[in-house]
Amino acid sequence: MNIPEILVANGTGAVLVCFLFLLRVRGESKNSVGSELFCQMLVVTLLAQATETISFLLDGVPGAASRFWLYLMNTVCTGATVSVGFAWCLYVDFRVYHSTGRLRRRHLFLGAPLLAVLALLAANLFGTGWIFTISADNVYHRGPLNSLLYLLLFGYYAESVWQVHKAKRDGVTVEFFSVYYFVITCAVGTVLQGAFYGMAFGWLSVAIAFVFVDSQLRSLRSYLDELSGLFGRKYMNYCLERIHATQEKDVYGIMMDVNCFKEINDTYGHGAGDRAIQEIGHILSGALVANSVAIRISGDEFMVLIRHGSEEILNKICAAIEQRVQRYNAAAPAGSFQLSFSTGVAKYEGGSVEKFLAELDERMYAEKRAFHAARNGHAVPEQGNAPSISE
């Protein structure tokens, strides 16, 4: 057993994990379900690195105390192995679907085999030897059911890959997130550790995989608008470039401009204007369906881009936005600002994306002019009734 290699490998992995965890403690990522799951995986990984290192150091050391700690450390480390695989599946599911309700359902389904393995581990503490045994001279040996751990772990990895492929097949847009960075790196480390017992490849590979995932997430955050929580103009340009390059069909857009936004700032202050942008972010993100994305283009101008869509989906999102705006206005305290949009919709018909944007812009400003004409004359038009793309 190469103790210096084990100390270097797990020590390096621990430093990487602590660095990633410190970034989140200092608030460099948003507090969300996804971030919490990521932090939980980091904590479990750090615990596993510590317990694995202790178990290697105690392997073959005589005495009852060493035997007790060998059983305990190997049990914790083994349980952590499958727990990270389980948490990774949940993390991928949330990154793809952004649904806490779905996550609760998947939690029960994916957690059943994990609970079975944890039960076997608990029984193993009483000397069954199913998962591993500690010999009379305090040396660790794999048990007959030890391979089940690897099967379950790789099953979780395969499930995460399948979920992404299934989502893409079902038309869900999955951007800036590749499960392969994590899965392949972890799988290579696990196979090497399984083949060469006494070498610490496994948890170092997990730590490196988390660095890859964190790098992806930081790339994604560069496309986000901090105030609204929506994607920014940079992401819109990225999407439109891809749409133009592939001449993608069934692409619809909803362009929106907040009515009287300057009055909100002038009347209630710029702090209220910021809160209005944040509320709009909640309204639009809550109205989205699969393959749709909300974007803050600039200032008080927003866009919803729908890929693999239809007029039915377009109308559904427009209606959802209208309903959410009405609910917000109804619940807003007396004397506070109200929200409404001037809206333009269009379908991308191929060719230049500039033409697509110009059509959206033209229809949005036509409704904006109608809004101000009605406001200055008679009644304000009912909000949320976006013009048809056939107009």
Side-chain angles (χ1 to χ4, degrees):
M1 188 178 299
N2 191 340
I3 294 298
E5 183 275 336
I6 292 168
L7 293 174
V8 170
N10 279 339
T12 302
V15 169
L16 293 175
V17 170
C18 288
F19 175 72
L20 293 176
F21 190 72
L22 180 63
L23 291 180
R24 279 152 180 77
V25 171
R26 293 175 61 186
E28 293 189 16
S29 65
K30 293 193 175 187
N31 184 22
S32 67
V33 174
S35 181
E36 289 176 5
L37 282 170
F38 195 86
C39 285
Q40 288 171 12
M41 288 190 289
L42 292 179
V43 170
V44 173
T45 300
L46 191 61
L47 177 65
Q49 289 166 337
T51 55
E52 183 185 64
T53 302
I54 294 171
S55 66
F56 276 130
L57 291 173
L58 291 177
D59 198 60
V61 176
S66 295
R67 185 178 184 82
F68 168 81
W69 286 110
L70 278 168
Y71 263 109
L72 182 61
M73 295 297 101
N74 279 290
T75 298
V76 172
C77 185
T78 304
T81 301
V82 287
S83 296
V84 166
F86 165 70
W88 171 250
C89 275
L90 295 181
Y91 179 74
V92 170
D93 195 275
F94 184 79
R95 292 291 307 169
V96 171
Y97 293 99
H98 301 282
S99 170
T100 54
R102 176 185 167 87
L103 202 63
R104 283 191 289 270
R105 295 190 298 271
R106 298 282 294 167
H107 182 274
L108 296 174
F109 170 74
L110 294 171
L114 173 63
L115 289 176
V117 166
L118 293 180
L120 289 174
L121 279 170
N124 198 84
L125 286 170
F126 295 93
T128 62
W130 291 336
I131 305 298
F132 65 86
T133 59
I134 305 298
S135 65
D137 52 353
N138 284 351
V139 175
Y140 172 94
H141 297 281
R142 294 167 181 162
L145 298 183
N146 191 272
S147 59
L148 287 177
L149 304 175
Y150 292 96
L151 288 175
L152 179 56
L153 181 62
F154 279 89
Y156 280 138
Y157 291 159
E159 167 67 16
S160 67
V161 173
W162 165 248
Q163 279 304 316
V164 172
H165 280 278
K166 181 177 181 297
K168 291 180 178 179
R169 186 192 65 189
D170 293 343
V172 178
T173 302
V174 182
E175 301 284 7
F176 297 103
F177 188 73
S178 172
V179 293
Y180 292 111
Y181 285 106
F182 184 88
V183 169
I184 292 178
T185 305
C186 291
V188 169
T190 302
V191 169
L192 288 174
Q193 180 137 347
F196 303 100
Y197 174 73
M199 305 293 284
F201 296 110
W203 290 108
L204 175 59
S205 69
V206 173
I208 294 171
F210 281 134
V211 172
F212 290 154
V213 173
D214 183 76
S215 177
Q216 283 185 294
L217 295 178
R218 292 184 184 281
S219 174
L220 173 62
R221 285 195 288 273
S222 71
Y223 287 86
L224 294 177
D225 173 66
E226 183 176 359
L227 185 58
S228 66
L230 306 177
F231 285 103
R233 190 184 189 95
K234 182 179 178 182
Y235 185 74
M236 181 190 76
N237 293 336
Y238 165 81
C239 289
L240 292 176
E241 285 172 5
R242 290 188 59 183
I243 289 168
H244 174 68
T246 60
Q247 290 294 288
E248 189 174 317
K249 304 299 181 184
D250 300 321
V251 176
Y252 295 79
I254 308 170
M255 188 82 78
M256 291 165 287
D257 188 86
V258 182
N259 291 324
C260 307
F261 185 71
K262 185 176 184 301
E263 292 184 15
I264 294 177
N265 279 323
D266 292 345
T267 305
Y268 302 97
H270 288 280
D274 288 347
R275 289 196 300 275
I277 296 298
Q278 291 169 345
E279 293 295 340
I280 292 166
H282 295 316
I283 288 169
L284 296 184
S285 60
L288 299 178
V289 299
N291 283 322
S292 61
V293 59
I295 299 163
R296 184 187 181 195
I297 301 174
S298 63
D300 61 338
E301 194 168 313
F302 297 82
M303 180 182 186
V304 173
L305 191 63
I306 308 164
R307 301 168 69 178
H308 311 291
S310 65
E311 286 198 42
E312 180 182 357
I313 293 174
L314 173 71
N315 293 332
K316 179 179 179 180
I317 293 177
C318 286
I321 292 172
E322 176 185 2
Q323 291 168 4
R324 292 177 69 85
V325 168
Q326 290 175 349
R327 284 202 297 269
Y328 169 79
N329 289 336
S336 64
F337 59 82
Q338 298 279 287
L339 294 175
S340 68
F341 296 108
S342 290
T343 305
V345 301
K347 180 181 179 181
Y348 176 66
E349 301 288 356
S352 169
V353 293
E354 285 76 15
K355 179 183 175 182
F356 173 56
L357 292 174
E359 189 174 359
L360 285 167
D361 220 38
E362 180 183 344
R363 292 181 174 181
M364 180 189 72
Y365 279 107
E367 185 170 300
K368 174 74 78 174
R369 288 190 294 270
F371 170 82
H372 284 292
R375 186 170 183 251
N376 295 331
H378 302 289
V380 177
E382 184 179 351
Q383 295 306 304
N385 293 330
S388 166
I389 59 174
S390 62
E391 291 181 3

